[in-house]
Amino acid sequence: METLPEVPQQLEPLIRQIGPALYELGQGFREDMRVPARIVADSELLQQMVHDRSVPQLVNVTTLPGIQGFAIGMPDMHEGYGFPVGGVAGTALPDGVISPGGIGFDINCGVRLLATGLRHEDVKEVLPEVAHDLARSIPTGFGRHGRLSLAPEQMDRVLTEGVPYLVDVLGLGAPEDVDYLEARGCLDGADTAKVSVRARERGHDQLGTLGGGNHFLEVQRVERVLDSEVAPALGLFEGQLTVLIHTGSRGLGHQVCTDAVRTMDRALAREGIQLVDRQLACAPLSSAEGQDYFAAMCAAANFAWANRQVLTHRVREVFRRWFGDRSAAWPRIVYDVAHNIAKLEPHGGQRLCVHRKGATRAFGPGHPELPAAYHQVGQPVFIPGSMGTASFVLVGKEAAEAISLSSACHGAGRRLSRAASKRQVVGSELRAALNRQGIAVECPSNAELAEEAPLAYKDVDRVVDVVEAAGIARKVARLVPLAVLKG
């Protein structure tokens, strides 16, 4: 067992390594812990975590009523609202709690990978112009409005039916698209009556918008295939032109979370729940507050999948303009997976409400929710880097269920706050540096560019190595950026 150096004195005797790249902080650390806290990391990443607020936040998660097994932090873990970003926990049904802080304000923020049959070498001369066309076609930035305005009855159908409604009724996609989306792009538990008027107002014209912050659209090249057996099953090859989309439920999801936190905060005394952190506001899933939030969360999740579907449609329109109708130019969906969501799943013989906050599913081969094409290889997992760094495609392993409730990280994870990043980076200089690397940048704000600078994030190669070493997922391909679109 590895002894962790330079850990704060009160943690050092209690953190122990229990497996490859897997550490545990036992219940002896605090008497209110109901289960241990686990962390997927190597020693360097672990030291970063124990010196910020993410480990104490993870410990707080272990105190939630109904939590089972452990609370676990992914290698990209960093401070968040309530739960740390990169935190995962499962609570037992029916009376274990659901906590909006364990899902996040951007409900079903997620990542979708599109792959073409085009080779970068054949189209590289026009890519800067393609990137500019994408920027003109896709609204970015906080509060921006899309080009698809929905009537109230159409919004209801998006919230309840998700992507199938867009494809089958509005014609925004191909029938096979839904086969390659987590939950086929629709959670069944949605109830539009539980979505507030204010949430609807904030989201009614935001379908097909990217948003700001760390949301992005990247045109990428498959630099290297790392698993020659799995990559063909995913339709990936070296030199291939791909597109990675990262966004979520925009203002609608944010308002759903805000509404629920306020409602649950008022219900805590009635439910006899005492919290160590008010940001962990929660309610039993069986309660009226728990059921109402879950129904609204499902609706927001459906909105997010619909948002990424409209963005996919816009990408396809741009590619058609530049590369024609040939089949090789069609950006097909490799997969779409959420990383801010709660799902009802069986684990260890129990039915759990699994909170994934900045964490993605990582189901292994044979799982019944996988598309038939991926049944033998496992669920695709996407771990993006940051501007100028690589992104990775992996597939989940069966061992992930016992290790992490079938969960993996969702990115490299922040190392610096946005304010700290802006103090260290000049946006215009970063833009010029990326251009020198051959990366076209479409972002109207140098300040927001500086917030998302590569130095603000952990080393994505190290993070992905840890995920693989822990036995959660296996690496399939490494992708590098060619053009970046940000708010």
Side-chain angles (χ1 to χ4, degrees):
M1 294 291 182
E2 178 181 346
T3 300
L4 183 69
E6 300 177 17
V7 176
Q9 187 173 1
Q10 70 271 28
L11 292 178
E12 187 171 4
L14 298 172
I15 290 183
R16 62 190 184 97
Q17 189 171 3
I18 61 172
L22 184 62
Y23 293 82
E24 184 174 273
L25 178 60
Q27 292 168 255
F29 175 62
R30 257 179 34 194
E31 62 181 16
D32 58 348
M33 294 173 67
R34 300 173 189 263
V35 294
R38 291 184 177 177
I39 303 170
V40 181
D42 61 12
S43 58
E44 181 175 322
L45 291 172
L46 187 58
Q47 285 186 51
Q48 294 175 17
M49 295 175 196
V50 298
H51 286 91
D52 66 23
R53 291 195 64 234
S54 58
V55 171
Q57 284 190 318
L58 189 66
V59 172
N60 289 344
V61 173
T62 70
T63 69
L64 289 175
I67 190 169
Q68 300 295 305
F70 47 79
I72 188 163
M74 297 294 109
D76 61 341
M77 186 172 70
H78 56 283
E79 182 182 349
Y81 180 92
F83 275 51
V85 178
V88 178
T91 56
L93 300 182
D95 296 326
V97 298
I98 185 168
S99 175
I103 290 115
F105 282 91
D106 191 3
I107 294 166
N108 188 6
C109 186
V111 176
R112 177 179 295 201
L113 179 64
L114 311 177
T116 73
L118 301 171
R119 294 185 176 274
H120 169 240
E121 189 65 27
D122 298 331
V123 299
K124 63 182 181 181
E125 298 301 327
V126 299
L127 278 184
E129 295 170 89
V130 172
H132 187 62
D133 197 355
L134 287 167
R136 289 187 301 148
S137 303
I138 295 173
T140 63
F142 295 103
R144 291 296 298 274
H145 306 305
R147 298 182 175 90
L148 181 65
S149 186
L150 300 177
E153 60 274 15
Q154 291 176 310
M155 172 64 88
D156 281 348
R157 294 197 66 178
V158 167
L159 296 176
T160 54
E161 300 174 48
V163 174
Y165 170 68
L166 293 185
V167 172
D168 297 340
V169 179
L170 301 185
L172 298 175
E176 63 269 20
D177 286 349
V178 297
D179 295 332
Y180 295 94
L181 313 179
E182 177 180 341
R184 297 179 62 82
C186 178
L187 294 182
D188 293 333
D191 183 349
T192 60
K194 307 305 179 183
V195 179
S196 70
V197 171
R198 178 58 181 148
R200 290 166 174 270
E201 289 174 345
R202 294 183 65 181
H204 85 278
D205 60 355
Q206 289 191 325
L207 276 184
T209 64
L210 200 59
N214 65 347
H215 295 158
F216 65 82
L217 183 149
E218 273 192 7
V219 181
Q220 302 175 324
R221 169 175 60 87
V222 178
E223 179 196 58
R224 191 161 67 251
V225 165
L226 304 170
D227 190 317
S228 58
E229 295 181 0
V230 176
L234 305 186
L236 300 178
F237 58 85
E238 290 185 359
Q240 182 178 21
L241 197 69
T242 62
V243 177
L244 197 65
I245 300 170
H246 173 211
T247 191
S249 51
R250 306 289 280 109
L252 184 143
H254 193 286
Q255 191 64 44
V256 165
C257 181
T258 299
D259 294 341
V261 168
R262 292 171 181 164
T263 300
M264 291 183 179
D265 192 61
R266 293 192 294 266
L268 290 172
R270 188 198 70 216
E271 296 292 341
I273 297 174
Q274 294 184 328
L275 298 174
V276 295
D277 181 357
R278 300 293 290 204
Q279 292 183 358
L280 290 173
C282 59
L285 186 57
S286 58
S287 70
E289 292 82 3
Q291 287 292 295
D292 287 355
Y293 169 66
F294 186 74
M297 184 216 70
C298 289
N302 293 344
F303 184 88
W305 274 309
N307 187 29
R308 293 195 288 276
Q309 184 66 23
V310 176
L311 290 171
T312 298
H313 181 70
R314 300 293 181 232
V315 170
R316 286 168 171 169
E317 288 180 329
V318 170
F319 274 52
R320 187 179 296 113
R321 282 198 288 272
W322 285 92
F323 307 121
D325 289 325
R326 51 190 169 133
S327 59
W330 175 260
R332 65 175 178 82
I333 300 172
V334 177
Y335 203 61
D336 179 302
V337 65
H339 56 237
N340 275 2
I341 203 162
K343 302 287 285 292
L344 307 184
E345 299 172 357
H347 290 279
Q350 290 182 290
R351 188 88 169 150
L352 302 182
C353 177
V354 181
H355 300 65
R356 294 187 177 96
K357 163 84 166 284
T360 179
R361 291 189 332 183
F363 289 155
H367 194 281
E369 290 196 36
L370 294 181
Y374 300 156
H375 197 74
Q376 299 299 316
V377 298
Q379 179 209 300
V381 173
F382 308 128
I383 302 181
S386 57
M387 295 178 298
T389 65
S391 298
F392 286 83
V393 178
L394 304 87
V395 287
K397 299 179 69 173
E398 289 183 52
E401 179 169 8
I403 297 167
S404 62
L405 296 176
S406 297
S407 305
C409 62
H410 81 309
R414 291 198 77 93
R415 188 178 64 86
L416 298 175
S417 69
R418 288 180 169 85
S421 183
K422 285 198 292 187
R423 286 194 295 269
Q424 297 187 34
V425 176
V426 177
S428 59
E429 294 177 359
L430 173 59
R431 188 188 299 270
L434 291 170
N435 287 336
R436 286 194 296 271
Q437 294 177 44
I439 301 170
V441 179
E442 293 287 344
C443 178
S445 168
N446 282 332
E448 289 195 23
L449 204 62
E451 289 180 357
E452 298 300 316
L455 65 76
Y457 288 84
K458 301 175 186 180
D459 178 357
V460 68
D461 289 272
R462 175 183 288 273
V463 167
V464 170
D465 285 345
V466 166
V467 170
E468 187 169 59
I472 292 171
R474 58 194 283 195
K475 292 184 283 189
V476 177
R478 189 177 194 269
L479 284 56
V480 293
L482 303 170
V484 180
L485 175 60
K486 293 188 67 66

